[in-house]
């Protein structure tokens, strides 16, 4: 029997996922949850085997008595914990999507090079019709630091190494990535920041990492450092970052994620000359490649094997 999959993403359009599922798992019973009972296709709740979700509505997952696994539609799983009734005995599966990983590394590399080569300054020169050159920096002297060396941070770090940057990463436990200096644990956060000129945040958002980019950690970065946040808005204390940008201690920030999204029209980031904003597009989940991951895991589970990359509910990633 082919399984029944419930797609539950209020913001996402189901059609590309349905097409991908039908192509990759012919015969799958693909149903789409909708808060409007007129449009909801859940049907008999006891028939739902797997749920593919983004920001699940409170209590819906708990109402599915035979649910075998919950698949996150994003690399981050913090959105799952927004459901106060998240079922306790059902595995939660992180998304490892080759296109999502690639897209994130592209975003990181793009902005690292942007800051390293002072492209923002050249854009300003251009706007003023100024022909001027600055001294070219040496990648071997440029210290990039990645907060979070998981699937995404690890890939970005690995790909920065052959570009000759001095790459380090900070994570909860020590990581072995060739060419990447590993800092770990609370004690090594400040030494990691002290050596980091371009800081990239790719941490999971958990109670431990909320507000990790704050006045103390910003102060630990060298004068003139840059921030690239493509994880979650909750990692940053906005007022602290704005103060560090205004004081000149932080030279620029590229922010893809915010406490409130879309970023409210009156937020000071919009008008700040040192802030670049992108609309949570650093890397998007691609229907085809993410479905490869869901199908691979569903097939494993249907064979009686455990799913890959399950979430640890203690650490919340
Ligand atoms: C997007 O924010 C994701 O978690 O993949």
């Amino acid at each position: 029997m082919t399984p029944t999959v419930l797609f539950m993403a209020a913001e996402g359009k189901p059609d590309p996922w349905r097409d991908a599922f039908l192509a990759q798992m012919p015969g799958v019973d693909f149903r789409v949850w909708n808060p409007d009972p007129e449009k909801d296709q859940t049907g008999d709740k006891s028939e739902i085997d797997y749920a593919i979700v983004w920001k699940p509505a409170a209590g819906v997952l708990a109402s599915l008595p035979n649910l075998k696994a919950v698949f996150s539609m994003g690399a981050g799983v913090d959105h799952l914990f927004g459901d106060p009734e998240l079922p306790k005995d059902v595995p939660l599966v992180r998304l490892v999507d080759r296109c999502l990983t690639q897209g994130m590394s592209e975003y990181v590399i793009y902005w690292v090079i942007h800051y390293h080569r002072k492209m923002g300054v050249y854009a300003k020169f251009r706007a003023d019709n100024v022909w001027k050159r600055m001294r070219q920096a040496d990648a071997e002297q440029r210290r990039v630091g990645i907060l979070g060396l998981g699937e995404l941070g690890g890939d970005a770090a690995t790909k920065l190494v052959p570009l000759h940057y001095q790459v380090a990463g900070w994570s909860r436990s020590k990581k072995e990535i060739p060419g990447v200096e590993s800092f770990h644990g609370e004690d090594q956060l400040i030494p990691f920041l002290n050596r980091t000129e371009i800081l990239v945040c790719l941490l999971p958002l958990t109670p431990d990492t909320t507000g990790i980019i704050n006045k103390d950690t910003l102060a630990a970065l060298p004068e003139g450092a840059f921030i690239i946040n493509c994880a979650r808005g909750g990692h940053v204390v906005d007022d602290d970052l704005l103060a560090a940008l205004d004081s000149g201690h932080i030279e620029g920030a590229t922010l893809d994620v915010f406490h409130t999204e879309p970023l409210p029209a009156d937020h000071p980031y919009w008008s700040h000359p040192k802030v670049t904003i992108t609309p949570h597009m650093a890397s998007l989940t691609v229907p085809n490649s993410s479905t490869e991951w869901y199908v691979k895991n569903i097939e494993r589970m249907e064979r009686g094997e455990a799913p890959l990359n399950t979430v640890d509910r203690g650490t919340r990633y």
Side-chain angles (χ1 to χ4, degrees):
M1 263 226 343
T2 43
T4 302
V5 168
L6 184 66
F7 178 91
M8 187 178 12
E11 297 163 22
K13 301 220 175 5
D15 292 355
W17 270 273
R18 180 191 290 108
D19 293 348
F21 255 100
L22 290 173
Q24 295 181 35
M25 189 174 249
V28 67
D29 188 348
F30 187 92
R31 303 181 189 179
V32 179
W33 174 85
N34 195 295
D36 177 353
E38 299 268 300
K39 297 187 185 152
D40 182 40
Q41 301 173 352
T42 307
D44 182 347
K45 293 182 173 186
S46 70
E47 290 172 1
I48 306 297
D49 298 304
Y50 300 97
I52 313 283
V53 303
W54 177 251
K55 297 186 184 164
V60 178
L61 293 169
S63 75
L64 307 171
N66 296 319
L67 192 62
K68 298 180 194 166
V70 174
F71 290 95
S72 170
M73 285 184 70
V77 293
D78 48 299
H79 66 104
L80 297 177
F81 294 97
D83 177 355
E85 294 167 59
L86 188 65
K88 293 204 168 37
D89 44 1
V90 175
L92 311 174
V93 185
R94 285 190 290 114
L95 174 63
V96 181
D97 171 351
R98 61 184 171 81
C99 291
L100 194 148
T101 306
Q102 166 76 16
M104 189 58 89
S105 291
E106 287 167 355
Y107 186 93
V108 169
I109 293 166
Y110 181 98
W111 287 106
V112 166
I113 293 176
H114 174 92
Y115 287 130
H116 171 63
R117 294 300 308 271
K118 304 188 172 76
M119 289 304 187
V121 183
Y122 282 111
K124 282 195 201 93
F125 288 168
R126 165 62 189 99
D128 297 336
N129 294 0
V130 170
W131 179 279
K132 184 175 164 184
R133 289 193 287 242
M134 292 170 286
R135 188 138 26 93
Q136 185 165 310
D138 177 356
E140 289 189 3
Q141 303 297 321
R142 179 68 73 190
R143 297 187 304 274
V144 181
I146 305 194
L147 281 171
L149 285 178
E151 211 67 52
L152 300 179
D155 190 71
T158 303
K159 289 181 175 152
L160 283 164
V161 171
L163 298 178
H164 305 290
Y165 295 102
Q166 290 183 32
V167 186
W170 180 82
S171 43
R172 204 168 57 97
S173 53
K174 193 166 167 57
K175 293 279 159 74
E176 301 287 346
I177 301 179
V180 178
E181 191 180 357
S182 169
F183 291 79
H184 68 282
E186 232 171 282
D187 293 353
Q188 293 183 15
L189 178 59
I190 296 298
F192 161 78
L193 295 169
N194 288 162
R195 55 72 68 201
T196 293
E197 296 168 299
I198 301 177
L199 178 71
V200 179
C201 180
L202 274 171
L203 284 166
L205 185 68
T206 69
D208 286 342
T209 64
T210 297
I212 192 165
I213 300 178
N214 57 45
K215 61 176 179 347
D216 297 332
T217 50
L218 289 165
L221 291 166
E223 184 84 24
F226 299 94
I227 310 285
I228 300 167
N229 185 20
C230 35
R232 287 289 182 261
H235 288 118
V236 177
V237 178
D238 288 345
D239 287 344
D240 292 356
L241 177 56
L242 285 162
L245 287 161
D246 288 340
S247 76
H249 183 67
I250 298 298
E251 189 52 44
T254 289
L255 307 173
D256 184 57
V257 285
F258 304 92
H259 286 263
T260 305
E261 295 179 6
L263 183 65
D266 59 351
H267 198 287
Y269 282 149
W270 280 117
S271 54
H272 203 290
K274 291 182 174 176
V275 175
T276 303
I277 293 168
T278 53
H280 201 147
M281 53 59 74
S283 198
L284 301 173
T285 303
V286 175
N288 214 36
S289 52
S290 60
T291 300
E292 288 170 14
W293 174 254
Y294 305 136
V295 167
K296 177 176 168 175
N297 267 293
I298 291 174
E299 286 175 349
R300 282 178 65 91
M301 293 189 72
E302 293 296 300
R303 287 194 301 265
E305 295 167 32
L308 301 167
N309 289 78
T310 49
V311 177
D312 176 332
R313 286 168 192 259
T315 57
R316 290 204 170 187
Y317 63 87

